[in-house]
Amino acid sequence: MFFQKHKRKSKDLKQIDPDIFYWIQQERKRQKEGLELIASENYASPAVCRVQGSLLTNKYAEGYPGKRYYGGCKYVDECEILAIERLKQLFQVNHANVQAHSGSQANMAVFLSELKPGDKIMGLDLFHGGHLTHGSPVNFSGLLFQSVFYTLNLETELLDFNQIEDQVKKERPKLMIAGYSAYPRIIDFKAFRQIADRYNCLLLVDMAHIAGLVAGGVHPSPVPYADYVTSTTHKTLRGPRGGFILCQDSLKEKKIKSKIFPGIQGGPLQHVIAAKAVAFKEALDPSFKIYAQQIIKNTKVLEKVFQKQGIKMRTGGSDNHLLLLDFSQLGVTGKQIEESLEKAGITVNKNTVPGEKRSPFVTSGIRIGTAALTTRGMKETEMEQIGLWISKVIYNPSNEEILSKTHQEVKELCQGFPLPTDDL
Ligand code: DSN
C-alpha cells in the first residue's frame, strides 16, 4: 500500500485534560444532586447534546444552504435545511433563520435590519421584567439606539395597554418590543399589534422565555401579530444554547439573512444548528405538548403552596413557567434568599421586582421556573414538597440546621430523578 495506515487511539478527556474533566464532574454532581429552578434553564436531551458535541463543529459554512463561501458544505446544508423546515412547521411561519448564535444576536439582527443608529426603540423597563437587549443603556441596544421604556401598571402589576399606548403616542418609537424575562402572565400580542398599527411602529416579539410554551400550545403564538419574532432555543424550548428569528414576509427575511451574515456573524455554528434541528423535531412530537402542559401544572402547584404559606408573588401567581416572589415586606433580600436556597441544594436567581428599591445585585425578589424540573420528570407531588422547602428557607434563611437538613432531603428526592444527560 502506498500510504501507511494510521490508527488513532482516542484518549479520554480525563487523560487529556484532567482539570476540565474534574470541573465537569463537579458540575454534573451539582446538577444531579440539586433542584434547578432558574426560569431560563432546562436540560437538553442526550440527542441534542450529542449532536452539539459532534464533528459538525469542524465545518466552516459562511453563507446559507446552497450559497456558501466554502466547499464541502453539502451535508451541513441538509442539516440546516432540516432545522429551518422543522422550525417553520413548529411555529407555522413562512420564514426562519436558525443561524443566530444567541437571542442577543437575533435581536441585534432585527434592529440592524430595520433601524439606523439613533432611531428610537421601546421595550419593557428592565426592573419590571424586561431584557438587557431591549434597550438597556449598558447593552448595544441602548448604546446604538435611543431607548425608551414602558412599565407595568404598579397597582395591577400587569401590562397595561392604555399606559403602553400613551407611551407610544408620546415617544413614537420606530420599533416596540414585547416578550420578557420575568413576566408571569399571558402576553396579549394582538393588543401590541393594534397599538403598533395605530402609531406606525414595528413590533418585535422576543419569545425566548415562552418559546416552548408556544410550541406546546399553552401560550398564544406571537407569529400572526409580530413583524419579527426572536427567541433562544435553550429555555422552555429545551434545545441547545442558541437563537433564531422568524418572520412572515420575504423582504424582511432577506434583510435578516444579510444582517446575520455578513452583518454581525461569521461562520455559523453548524453543530449547534444541527442540534437545533433535533430539538425542533423533539418539540414537534406530541409528547412535547404534554411536557408544556405539565410545566404549567407544576407552576400552579407552587403558586398554591406559596399562597398558603403567605409568600407574596407578583401579580398574585402565574399562567406560565415562572413565578416572581417578592420579599420587600419580609425584611430579606433576593440575594440572601438565593444564597440560602443554594445551601439547601435549590438553585434560583435573585430578581428585581416592579418598583424595585434595591440594586440588581441585591434585589427584593427571586424568580422561579419549572421547565427544568418538569423535564426531569417531577410532577405535582414533588412540586408541593419543593414549594414547602422553598417556603421554609424563605422564613428561616439563616438557620443552618434547616438549610442542611433540607439539602439532605433535596438530595434524596433527586436520586429518584436521574438527569436526562447523566452520562454526557
Ligand atoms: N439570561 C436570561 C434569563 O435568565 O432570563 C435572559 O437572557
Side-chain angles (χ1 to χ4, degrees), residues 38 40 131 181 209 235 349 367:
I38 290 182
S40 47
H131 191 256
S181 293
H209 260 269
K235 297 187 175 84
N349 67 278
R367 190 183 62 162

PDB file of all heavy atoms in Angstrom, residues 38 40 131 181 209 235 349 367, ligand 1:
ATOM      1  N   ILE A  38     -34.010  27.775  37.953  1.00  0.00           N
ATOM      2  CA  ILE A  38     -33.778  29.020  37.200  1.00  0.00           C
ATOM      3  C   ILE A  38     -34.692  28.986  35.980  1.00  0.00           C
ATOM      4  O   ILE A  38     -34.679  28.026  35.198  1.00  0.00           O
ATOM      5  CB  ILE A  38     -32.287  29.171  36.827  1.00  0.00           C
ATOM      6  CG1 ILE A  38     -31.497  29.451  38.112  1.00  0.00           C
ATOM      7  CG2 ILE A  38     -32.089  30.289  35.796  1.00  0.00           C
ATOM      8  CD1 ILE A  38     -30.029  29.673  37.950  1.00  0.00           C
ATOM      9  N   SER A  40     -34.863  30.318  33.183  1.00  0.00           N
ATOM     10  CA  SER A  40     -34.371  30.330  31.800  1.00  0.00           C
ATOM     11  C   SER A  40     -33.546  29.084  31.483  1.00  0.00           C
ATOM     12  O   SER A  40     -32.942  29.005  30.415  1.00  0.00           O
ATOM     13  CB  SER A  40     -33.525  31.582  31.581  1.00  0.00           C
ATOM     14  OG  SER A  40     -32.620  31.748  32.646  1.00  0.00           O
ATOM     15  N   HIS A 131     -35.634  42.956  29.210  1.00  0.00           N
ATOM     16  CA  HIS A 131     -34.354  42.287  28.962  1.00  0.00           C
ATOM     17  C   HIS A 131     -33.292  43.295  28.568  1.00  0.00           C
ATOM     18  O   HIS A 131     -33.611  44.325  27.958  1.00  0.00           O
ATOM     19  CB  HIS A 131     -34.521  41.243  27.849  1.00  0.00           C
ATOM     20  CG  HIS A 131     -33.334  40.343  27.719  1.00  0.00           C
ATOM     21  ND1 HIS A 131     -32.411  40.474  26.714  1.00  0.00           N
ATOM     22  CD2 HIS A 131     -32.911  39.317  28.492  1.00  0.00           C
ATOM     23  CE1 HIS A 131     -31.471  39.556  26.867  1.00  0.00           C
ATOM     24  NE2 HIS A 131     -31.755  38.840  27.929  1.00  0.00           N
ATOM     25  N   SER A 181     -38.427  38.665  30.532  1.00  0.00           N
ATOM     26  CA  SER A 181     -37.635  37.690  31.296  1.00  0.00           C
ATOM     27  C   SER A 181     -38.277  37.321  32.620  1.00  0.00           C
ATOM     28  O   SER A 181     -37.873  36.341  33.243  1.00  0.00           O
ATOM     29  CB  SER A 181     -36.249  38.266  31.591  1.00  0.00           C
ATOM     30  OG  SER A 181     -35.545  38.407  30.394  1.00  0.00           O
ATOM     31  N   HIS A 209     -38.361  33.291  26.511  1.00  0.00           N
ATOM     32  CA  HIS A 209     -38.781  32.553  27.707  1.00  0.00           C
ATOM     33  C   HIS A 209     -39.912  31.574  27.432  1.00  0.00           C
ATOM     34  O   HIS A 209     -39.962  30.494  28.012  1.00  0.00           O
ATOM     35  CB  HIS A 209     -39.182  33.532  28.818  1.00  0.00           C
ATOM     36  CG  HIS A 209     -38.085  33.702  29.810  1.00  0.00           C
ATOM     37  ND1 HIS A 209     -37.983  32.924  30.926  1.00  0.00           N
ATOM     38  CD2 HIS A 209     -37.013  34.513  29.817  1.00  0.00           C
ATOM     39  CE1 HIS A 209     -36.897  33.260  31.602  1.00  0.00           C
ATOM     40  NE2 HIS A 209     -36.286  34.230  30.945  1.00  0.00           N
ATOM     41  N   LYS A 235     -34.309  27.573  26.459  1.00  0.00           N
ATOM     42  CA  LYS A 235     -35.104  27.774  27.690  1.00  0.00           C
ATOM     43  C   LYS A 235     -36.240  26.748  27.679  1.00  0.00           C
ATOM     44  O   LYS A 235     -35.960  25.557  27.683  1.00  0.00           O
ATOM     45  CB  LYS A 235     -35.583  29.226  27.756  1.00  0.00           C
ATOM     46  CG  LYS A 235     -34.406  30.233  27.858  1.00  0.00           C
ATOM     47  CD  LYS A 235     -34.886  31.639  28.100  1.00  0.00           C
ATOM     48  CE  LYS A 235     -33.761  32.621  28.321  1.00  0.00           C
ATOM     49  NZ  LYS A 235     -33.166  33.141  27.065  1.00  0.00           N
ATOM     50  N   ASN A 349     -32.651  32.394  40.849  1.00  0.00           N
ATOM     51  CA  ASN A 349     -31.888  33.637  40.759  1.00  0.00           C
ATOM     52  C   ASN A 349     -32.637  34.808  41.375  1.00  0.00           C
ATOM     53  O   ASN A 349     -33.867  34.894  41.289  1.00  0.00           O
ATOM     54  CB  ASN A 349     -31.450  33.953  39.318  1.00  0.00           C
ATOM     55  CG  ASN A 349     -32.592  34.264  38.407  1.00  0.00           C
ATOM     56  OD1 ASN A 349     -33.251  33.369  37.893  1.00  0.00           O
ATOM     57  ND2 ASN A 349     -32.847  35.539  38.205  1.00  0.00           N
ATOM     58  N   ARG A 367     -36.751  34.768  41.143  1.00  0.00           N
ATOM     59  CA  ARG A 367     -37.541  34.234  40.034  1.00  0.00           C
ATOM     60  C   ARG A 367     -37.408  32.715  40.087  1.00  0.00           C
ATOM     61  O   ARG A 367     -36.313  32.184  40.290  1.00  0.00           O
ATOM     62  CB  ARG A 367     -36.961  34.792  38.744  1.00  0.00           C
ATOM     63  CG  ARG A 367     -37.761  34.551  37.513  1.00  0.00           C
ATOM     64  CD  ARG A 367     -37.041  35.103  36.297  1.00  0.00           C
ATOM     65  NE  ARG A 367     -35.752  34.454  36.077  1.00  0.00           N
ATOM     66  CZ  ARG A 367     -35.062  34.481  34.940  1.00  0.00           C
ATOM     67  NH1 ARG A 367     -35.527  35.165  33.926  1.00  0.00           N
ATOM     68  NH2 ARG A 367     -33.917  33.867  34.817  1.00  0.00           N
TER      69      ARG A 367
HETATM   70  N1  DSN B   1     -30.464  35.436  30.981  1.00  0.00           N
HETATM   71  C1  DSN B   1     -31.771  35.097  30.511  1.00  0.00           C
HETATM   72  C2  DSN B   1     -32.731  34.936  31.633  1.00  0.00           C
HETATM   73  O1  DSN B   1     -32.317  34.417  32.646  1.00  0.00           O
HETATM   74  O2  DSN B   1     -33.892  35.285  31.517  1.00  0.00           O
HETATM   75  C3  DSN B   1     -32.269  36.021  29.500  1.00  0.00           C
HETATM   76  O3  DSN B   1     -31.312  36.207  28.526  1.00  0.00           O
END
